[in-house]
């Protein structure tokens, strides 16, 4: 991010007077490093300020943290340019974190849930959200094309869907299956009753989503069945009383052939869209690595193909300063994208940025099992998959063509590249989202 910033006097709505509006705030004795960042600020200088603040918080130096926040507050603006808008969300996350070490700051919500209030979307609004930029549609397109190829010759298909977008991926696949020359297969989709408490959030249940899919499949003459594993009511109780770790541990207990009612004559597809990052990879005494346990469980189900799509950045470090550096240099992408085609005061833009702010808050404000955003890069994920016993599947030329056609519908800054067997969505040459396909060892015949 090289855009120059001029100091902005726009204050954050969450601004706390005890942090910024003390009687002497205008004459806070700044260090030489901070004084050098006053005036015209670019992305590198903002990053330096964020790291100063993080170091101060890690060493419990509240005075220095307040000084840096005061400077950042004069830069941040929720309606400014992309750097200013991104800075406003980082500042909010730092204030949230600081409230635990600054006695003068009122207590905030530190249950692991965001302090950012988000309204629930309708299904129609969710469709517009997904279509806004190809952040999700890239993975949908690459995965659906690979699935279509993998299930050729099968009259029954069972998709075990782990995603955060409420099955928005499947109408396009259902439509493609309806046009299959040999006729559509019988399609079954199974989703877990619990999902990560992250945006996008909708005002309908998983069962209602399933009914809508069933109606669409009926319209397209595709035999269809929809299942939710786990008790939805019990899951609601879990979400209030137990951590995400406990919820996911409970969900894993359902990943058995008997519980899923798997059939020998159906092609099992396992779809993971922006999901693995929410499975903890911490290995502590008395616990186990949820992420690797999940991968071992799904490998044991002998799937026809496994799709893994996620954002291509490594934000799993234990160090706060490392997470800030990686997060700041990655999450400028969606802010820059939205700047290209939405007005600064667009409510749609602000809501989308609010969802990114939700992510920033969890990455910066929380530690331990309360920090549920544990994203790892495509290269790191690929090595994890290989270590567990999966083989990568290259995407075919037809898939690449379909993805390119999709990107042609969006702004010219979007692109795609191949790295080994990964497809990577790029913005102005910077990696943003990766898509991968896998089979368990022993299914090499599919690769060939």
């Amino acid at each position: 991010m090289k855009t120059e910033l001029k100091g902005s006097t726009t204050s954050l709505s969450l601004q706390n007077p005890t942090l910024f509006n003390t009687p002497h705030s205008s004459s806070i004795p700044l260090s030489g490093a901070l004084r050098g960042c006053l005036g015209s600020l670019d992305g590198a200088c903002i990053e330096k300020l964020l790291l100063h603040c993080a170091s101060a918080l890690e060493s419990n130096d509240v005075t220095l943290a307040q000084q840096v926040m005061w400077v950042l507050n004069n830069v941040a603006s929720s309606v400014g340019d992309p750097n200013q808008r991104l800075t406003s969300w980082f500042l909010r996350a730092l204030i949230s974190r600081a409230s635990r070490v600054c006695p003068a700051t009122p207590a905030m919500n530190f249950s692991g849930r965001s302090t950012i209030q988000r309204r629930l979307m309708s299904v129609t609004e969710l469709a517009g959200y997904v279509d806004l930029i190809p952040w999700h549609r890239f993975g949908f397109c690459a995965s659906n094309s690979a699935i279509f190829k993998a299930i050729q010759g099968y009259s029954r298909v069972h998709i075990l869907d782990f995603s955060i977008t409420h099955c928005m991926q499947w109408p396009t696949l259902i439509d493609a299956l309806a046009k299959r020359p040999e006729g559509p297969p019988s399609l079954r989709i199974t989703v877990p009753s619990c999902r990560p408490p992250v945006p996008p959030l909708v005002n309908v249940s998983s069962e209602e989503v399933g009914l809508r899919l069933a109606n669409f499949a009926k319209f397209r003459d595709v035999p269809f069945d929809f299942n939710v594993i786990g008790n939805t009511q019990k899951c609601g109780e879990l979400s209030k009383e137990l951590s995400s770790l406990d919820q996911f541990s409970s969900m894993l207990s359902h990943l058995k052939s008997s519980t899923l009612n798997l059939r020998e004559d159906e092609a099992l597809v396992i779809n993971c869209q922006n999901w693995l990052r929410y499975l903890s990879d911490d290995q502590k005494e008395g616990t186990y690595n949820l992420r690797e346990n999940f991968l071992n469980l799904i490998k044991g189900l002998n799937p026809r193909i496994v799709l893994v799509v996620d954002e291509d950045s490594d934000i799993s470090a234990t160090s706060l300063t490392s997470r800030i550096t990686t997060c700041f240099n990655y999450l400028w992408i969606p802010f820059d994208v939205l700047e290209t085609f939405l007005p600064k005061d667009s409510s749609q833009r602000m809501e989308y940025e609010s969802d990114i702010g939700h992510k920033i808050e969890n990455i910066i404000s929380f530690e331990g099992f309360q920090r549920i955003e544990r994203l790892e890069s495509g290269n790191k994920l690929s090595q994890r998959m290989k270590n567990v016993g999966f083989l990568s599947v290259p995407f075919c030329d037809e898939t690449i063509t379909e993805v390119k056609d999709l990107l042609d519908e969006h702004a010219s800054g979007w692109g795609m590249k191949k790295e080994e067997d990964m497809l990577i969505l790029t913005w102005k040459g910077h990696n943003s989202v990766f898509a991968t396909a896998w089979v368990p060892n022993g299914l090499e015949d599919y690769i060939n």
Side-chain angles (χ1 to χ4, degrees):
M1 293 200 317
K2 302 301 183 184
T3 306
E4 279 201 354
L5 294 175
K6 297 186 183 298
S8 167
T9 57
T10 305
S11 298
L12 292 174
S13 61
L14 77 165
Q15 178 173 301
N16 189 311
T18 63
L19 282 176
F20 301 120
N21 292 338
T22 62
H24 307 291
S25 64
S26 61
S27 58
I28 290 177
L30 301 179
S31 68
L34 299 184
R35 283 197 303 271
C37 283
L38 288 172
S40 180
L41 293 177
D42 61 13
C45 198
I46 293 173
E47 181 183 345
K48 190 178 297 183
L49 284 167
L50 293 171
L51 294 177
H52 270 298
C53 189
S55 296
L57 291 175
E58 287 187 314
S59 60
N60 293 325
D61 188 341
V62 176
T63 300
L64 177 58
Q66 288 177 320
Q67 291 177 8
V68 185
M69 289 179 187
W70 178 78
V71 177
L72 288 168
N73 190 58
N74 284 280
V75 175
S77 170
S78 60
V79 293
D81 67 26
N83 279 359
Q84 290 174 301
R85 298 166 86 106
L86 179 61
T87 301
S88 72
W89 288 109
F90 270 89
L91 178 57
R92 178 172 189 142
L94 288 168
I95 293 171
S96 178
R97 188 180 182 102
S99 69
R100 285 170 290 172
V101 296
C102 178
T105 306
M108 298 177 74
N109 175 8
F110 290 105
S111 64
R113 297 186 181 278
S114 175
T115 60
I116 301 168
Q117 298 301 311
R118 286 289 285 115
R119 71 179 182 86
L120 301 180
M121 295 181 184
S122 68
V123 174
T124 301
E125 289 171 326
L126 176 63
Y129 177 95
V130 168
D131 287 342
L132 187 61
I133 62 176
W135 207 263
H136 295 292
R137 291 184 69 202
F138 165 79
F140 294 173
C141 182
S143 297
N144 283 350
S145 181
I147 291 170
F148 191 87
K149 178 177 183 293
I151 63 175
Q152 286 180 359
Y154 282 86
S155 60
R156 294 181 179 272
V157 178
H158 185 182
I159 299 175
L160 189 53
D161 183 32
F162 300 94
S163 68
I164 64 169
T165 49
H166 309 279
C167 295
M168 286 300 299
Q169 177 174 349
W170 304 125
T172 302
L173 180 65
I174 291 171
D175 189 60
L177 293 176
K179 302 171 184 175
R180 203 169 71 160
E182 65 270 35
S186 174
L187 176 63
R188 180 157 60 117
I189 294 178
T190 297
V191 301
S193 56
C194 293
R195 74 182 292 276
V198 298
L201 304 174
V202 295
N203 60 4
V204 297
S205 66
S206 296
E207 288 79 5
E208 174 64 23
V209 169
L211 286 174
R212 290 169 182 260
L213 278 177
N215 288 335
F216 181 74
K218 183 178 180 180
F219 173 72
R220 300 298 286 125
D221 293 323
V222 176
F224 184 80
D225 186 32
F226 187 85
N227 301 288
V228 180
I229 54 172
N231 185 291
T232 305
Q233 182 178 1
K234 183 178 179 182
C235 179
E237 296 168 355
L238 282 172
S239 64
K240 295 177 182 178
E241 300 174 2
L242 301 178
S243 68
S244 294
L245 173 66
D246 296 308
Q247 292 184 51
F248 283 125
S249 296
S250 175
M251 181 268 293
L252 295 188
S253 67
H254 295 279
L255 298 185
K256 298 180 291 189
S257 296
S258 56
T259 306
L260 297 169
N261 192 27
L262 300 185
R263 301 171 50 125
E264 291 185 1
D265 62 342
E266 67 182 4
L268 176 63
V269 174
I270 296 178
N271 186 66
C272 299
Q273 300 271 338
N274 298 72
W275 182 270
L276 288 181
R277 76 175 85 157
Y278 300 111
L279 298 180
S280 171
D281 60 351
D282 274 1
Q283 186 74 53
K284 296 183 179 179
E285 186 177 353
T287 67
Y288 56 89
N289 188 316
L290 269 180
R291 199 169 302 183
E292 290 194 2
N293 191 43
F294 171 81
L295 293 175
N296 277 306
L297 284 171
I298 63 173
K299 183 167 70 74
L301 297 176
N302 198 33
R304 178 67 176 164
I305 191 170
V306 177
L307 291 310
V308 180
V309 176
D310 218 320
E311 297 170 2
D312 194 17
S313 183
D314 191 350
I315 313 179
S316 59
T318 56
S319 163
L320 175 61
T321 54
S322 295
R323 295 202 304 272
I324 284 179
T325 296
T326 305
C327 189
F328 187 74
N329 285 285
Y330 173 68
L331 288 177
W332 71 270
I333 295 175
F335 283 84
D336 191 56
V337 171
L338 295 172
E339 175 78 1
T340 64
F341 67 97
L342 287 179
K344 294 185 184 299
D345 59 352
S346 162
S347 59
Q348 188 180 26
R349 176 176 177 178
M350 290 180 177
E351 287 199 351
Y352 207 103
E353 290 175 345
S354 175
D355 288 350
I356 305 167
H358 181 286
K359 182 199 305 288
I360 293 170
E361 183 178 30
N362 188 261
I363 292 169
I364 303 305
S365 299
F366 300 104
E367 298 293 347
F369 289 116
Q370 290 181 333
R371 178 165 59 85
I372 62 173
E373 287 277 353
R374 294 171 180 269
L375 183 65
E376 60 185 0
S377 66
N379 287 331
K380 193 171 180 180
L381 180 278
S382 292
Q383 189 58 54
R384 184 188 294 275
M385 297 291 288
K386 293 171 185 176
N387 291 344
V388 170
F390 284 97
L391 296 173
S392 62
V393 180
F395 290 96
C396 65
D397 292 340
E398 290 84 354
T399 297
I400 294 172
T401 299
E402 287 183 34
V403 173
K404 287 180 177 178
D405 289 343
L406 166 68
L407 297 184
D408 286 342
E409 302 173 12
H410 293 272
S412 60
W414 292 108
M416 183 196 67
K417 64 181 180 181
K418 285 190 67 175
E419 288 186 4
E420 295 184 348
D421 289 333
M422 283 193 297
L423 289 186
I424 299 176
L425 175 69
T426 64
W427 172 254
K428 296 180 179 178
H430 297 271
N431 291 13
S432 58
V433 178
F434 69 85
T436 57
W438 304 87
V439 294
N441 280 334
L443 288 180
E444 293 88 344
D445 62 312
Y446 172 67
I447 298 177
N448 299 323

